[in-house]
Amino acid sequence: MILEYVFSMKVNNIQDIKRPEGTVVFVTGVTGQDGSHMVDYLLSNTSASIVGGARRLSVENHANIKHLQGEPRFQLVNFDLTDSHSIYKIIEYAKPDYFINFAAQSFVASSWDFARQTWECNSTSILDCLEAIKRLKPDCRFYNAGSSEEFGNVSYEPQDENHPARPRSPYGASKAAARTLIKVYRESYGIYAVQGWLFNHEGPRRGEEFVTRKISKGVANIFDSIVNNKPVEGIELGNLSAVRDWSDAEDMMDAVWRMLNQEKFRTDWKQFSPVSLYNTDVKVLSKHIKDYVVGSGEKHTIREFVEKAFDVVGIHGAWMDEGKYEYFWYNDGPRPLPSNECQLVKVNPKFYRPAEVEVLRANADKITKELGWKPKTTFDGLVEKMVTSDLTSLNPVV
């Protein structure tokens, strides 16, 4: 039997952290998509030292940060966002200048099955973070990852910063609650705390339970099966007509950093400096710190994502209705397929949400105008990037 090598990185306990000189950034969820990309961004664009927090698991999952092995500016620590003691300890020992939170129960579909866990991880934990910062290091800047799911049953599109919170899932409700807490602590205590409305953002590091990665990996597997004469297994999806605003996760990290350093980008902040900022009247300060909507401004259906993904590998098909649901049938590609393998995508009603969010599209004009942020990767480029990455991991014979 061949044993697969599992990458493992040295993990410190919080009390063993040695605070480096200079700026320190604490990033939670570093084994996930956003957290790992944030570390990469900080290493490339700042001189800061980074402490990364990851929940302790019996089977470690460090694939997204394996490239950080031996990086002198990065330390990995055991950290649990749902444990208030853990939060207080990290503030006490690391004394971070920035606290960037990407840890969450982030899978919308699971939030109905684990509603309390979702709330405790995404909402109650934010209260603990804010309290710890207030008591132990009030000059620490705090960022919490928000979501377009806060808008939910949208009133208008594209959605901007003035759109009301109308969540349609426990996940969306938990993020909306966290935003309210951040606003309260910002206005009450002058804490530099923000929460960005990050619209859907994807990439090769996205978890396989998310629909975009499910599609890109499924397409790669189908292509690999076709070119290697193996049986083809189709992809099962839910609502193909759901409309989303998809961006590259790497582009989002620049937006997060700009939100955390608004005095460097906004003309109306020129009277402030990082030193004078914390001697400013709380009411004045709270009026200047802003949350921002971040996204591409484009909208695409899941159906379009499927088509683009198959285009990347030269597979072409057609959508056909059979009863209540659609199917994507194979027309042409690397080789002919037997009829029983031509159904490449089919709808499975178990993947429908109890309450669907139909259309999400960002109006990111404010962050573009005030902070100078713009996305770099197109929708087509994102799909190609994800499919190509999953193909590379399979090493198919072409």
Side-chain angles (χ1 to χ4, degrees):
M1 180 177 67
I2 299 176
L3 295 177
E4 183 180 356
Y5 171 73
V6 179
F7 171 80
S8 180
M9 180 180 287
K10 179 186 176 183
V11 186
N12 299 299
N13 292 316
I14 292 175
Q15 59 268 27
D16 296 327
I17 292 175
K18 295 182 179 178
R19 191 191 190 281
E21 296 294 326
T23 300
V24 175
V25 184
F26 177 59
V27 182
T28 69
V30 292
T31 57
Q33 171 185 257
D34 289 4
S36 61
H37 281 310
M38 192 75 240
V39 174
D40 291 344
Y41 177 88
L42 292 169
L43 289 172
S44 297
N45 295 279
T46 76
S47 59
S49 297
I50 301 102
V51 177
R55 190 159 47 93
R56 187 182 185 281
L57 299 172
S58 56
V59 178
E60 295 174 343
N61 178 23
H62 294 162
N64 285 339
I65 57 172
K66 62 182 180 181
H67 61 288
L68 298 175
Q69 179 83 340
E71 169 56 55
R73 288 165 55 198
F74 177 73
Q75 299 178 70
L76 184 64
V77 298
N78 287 316
F79 177 80
D80 191 337
L81 190 66
T82 61
D83 180 65
S84 60
H85 184 59
S86 182
I87 294 169
Y88 273 77
K89 283 175 65 179
I90 197 69
I91 299 294
E92 179 184 1
Y93 285 92
K95 297 180 176 61
D97 300 290
Y98 296 86
F99 187 135
I100 303 177
N101 180 44
F102 286 118
Q105 194 301 96
S106 58
F107 191 42
V108 179
S110 291
S111 70
W112 279 278
D113 297 324
F114 306 102
R116 180 177 290 275
Q117 180 200 49
T118 300
W119 190 268
E120 290 178 352
C121 187
N122 297 357
S123 305
T124 306
S125 64
I126 303 309
L127 179 62
D128 292 333
C129 291
L130 293 167
E131 273 292 313
I133 289 170
K134 183 191 76 173
R135 296 184 184 187
L136 299 178
K137 201 171 190 303
D139 64 340
C140 176
R141 300 190 180 195
F142 181 69
Y143 176 85
N144 187 53
S147 171
S148 56
E149 292 285 336
E150 296 171 49
F151 298 133
N153 187 21
V154 299
S155 301
Y156 58 85
E157 65 161 303
Q159 293 83 50
D160 57 18
E161 290 81 0
N162 296 318
H163 192 287
R166 303 182 67 188
R168 301 202 79 192
S169 66
Y171 171 83
S174 70
K175 288 294 185 179
R179 178 177 302 281
T180 302
L181 287 169
I182 284 171
K183 184 174 184 293
V184 167
Y185 273 71
R186 186 168 67 207
E187 295 178 353
S188 300
Y189 303 110
I191 294 173
Y192 192 127
V194 292
Q195 178 164 309
W197 285 278
L198 300 185
F199 277 60
N200 294 64
H201 49 287
E202 317 295 332
R205 297 182 189 177
R206 178 56 107 178
E208 294 178 14
E209 70 273 21
F210 290 85
V211 66
T212 51
R213 186 71 196 290
K214 186 177 182 180
I215 293 168
S216 67
K217 187 168 185 179
V219 168
N221 285 330
I222 288 171
F223 178 77
D224 181 53
S225 296
I226 291 174
V227 299
N228 289 294
N229 293 301
K230 297 184 290 188
V232 173
E233 294 186 12
I235 307 168
E236 293 188 353
L237 301 173
N239 181 12
L240 297 170
S241 298
V243 176
R244 294 293 183 269
D245 181 333
W246 279 299
S247 299
D248 191 317
E250 291 187 74
D251 289 347
M252 293 292 195
M253 300 307 106
D254 182 53
V256 169
W257 192 241
R258 287 170 187 258
M259 278 187 260
L260 280 167
N261 296 277
Q262 293 178 29
E263 76 277 9
K264 295 182 180 179
F265 300 97
R266 284 170 45 194
T267 56
D268 63 332
W269 269 54
K270 294 303 181 184
Q271 71 268 38
F272 296 116
S273 68
V275 175
S276 67
L277 203 56
Y278 303 103
N279 298 319
T280 304
D281 181 82
V282 169
K283 291 183 179 179
V284 175
L285 181 63
S286 65
K287 289 180 180 178
H288 280 77
I289 301 173
K290 296 182 182 179
D291 301 325
Y292 289 91
V293 163
V294 191
S296 71
E298 298 181 5
K299 59 180 182 180
H300 301 276
T301 63
I302 293 174
R303 189 181 293 103
E304 288 179 73
F305 200 105
V306 169
E307 294 168 356
K308 292 288 184 182
F310 278 111
D311 284 344
V312 172
V313 295
I315 294 175
H316 307 289
W319 295 101
M320 299 180 66
D321 291 324
E322 290 191 5
K324 290 176 62 178
Y325 303 113
E326 283 182 273
Y327 297 84
F328 190 69
W329 289 90
Y330 182 85
N331 279 346
D332 65 85
R335 67 173 172 86
L337 290 181
S339 59
N340 65 330
E341 295 180 19
C342 283
Q343 196 181 87
L344 303 183
V345 177
K346 65 179 179 179
V347 170
N348 187 332
K350 77 176 184 178
F351 294 119
Y352 275 77
R353 298 179 182 179
E356 184 62 71
V357 175
E358 297 294 343
V359 180
L360 292 173
R361 179 164 69 99
N363 179 350
D365 289 349
K366 182 173 280 190
I367 193 171
T368 298
K369 180 181 178 181
E370 296 185 356
L371 301 187
W373 177 83
K374 290 183 180 179
K376 298 177 182 178
T377 308
T378 64
F379 173 71
D380 288 2
L382 172 63
V383 178
E384 182 176 1
K385 178 180 181 179
M386 293 180 69
V387 174
T388 301
S389 175
D390 281 321
L391 277 173
T392 301
S393 67
L394 289 173
N395 292 315
V397 178
V398 181

